[in-house]
Amino acid sequence: MTAPSVKQSLHEIIDKIEDTELLSLHLKLLLKETQKDFFNTSDDEMIARAEQSLVSAKEGQTRSIKSFKEEVNQWKKNQVI
């Protein structure tokens, strides 16, 4: 099977499922596979992220500590253990 045909099959199956809990579990699993591991990031990637963060801060694109903590707590709730 090719990647496009596997994706098509997955789409067809997903469209038939109505169980929100089951769909959520599969979503978490797929997201876990696609999210980059922060600790395996290269030095160059980390430097680029830091530089982009500085640019964002200079442009006023920031959020409050309260907002950040809420996002982190929501992220933790969505993680598969």
Side-chain angles (χ1 to χ4, degrees), residues 1 5 7-8 11-12 18 20 22 25 28 35-36 44 46 51 53-54 57-58 61-62 64 70 73 75 79-80:
M1 274 188 132
S5 66
K7 289 178 185 180
Q8 181 62 37
H11 285 288
E12 290 170 6
E18 297 298 327
T20 305
L22 178 63
L25 287 171
K28 287 178 186 178
Q35 292 173 341
K36 189 163 184 150
D44 289 339
M46 291 295 292
E51 289 172 347
S53 293
L54 291 172
K58 285 180 186 176
Q61 298 174 349
T62 62
S64 68
E70 288 171 356
N73 287 332
W75 176 83
Q79 296 306 299
V80 177

Side-chain angles (χ1 to χ4, degrees), residues 32-64:
K32 189 172 185 172
E33 281 299 312
T34 59
Q35 292 173 341
K36 189 163 184 150
D37 184 0
F38 176 79
F39 297 104
N40 287 330
T41 304
S42 73
D43 290 352
D44 289 339
E45 289 173 308
M46 291 295 292
I47 291 168
R49 288 177 64 182
E51 289 172 347
Q52 182 56 51
S53 293
L54 291 172
V55 170
S56 294
K58 285 180 186 176
E59 293 174 352
Q61 298 174 349
T62 62
R63 59 182 172 220
S64 68

Side-chain angles (χ1 to χ4, degrees), residues 1 3 6 9 23 50 60 62 66 78:
M1 274 188 132
V6 172
S9 295
L23 290 168
T62 62
K66 181 180 177 183
N78 292 329

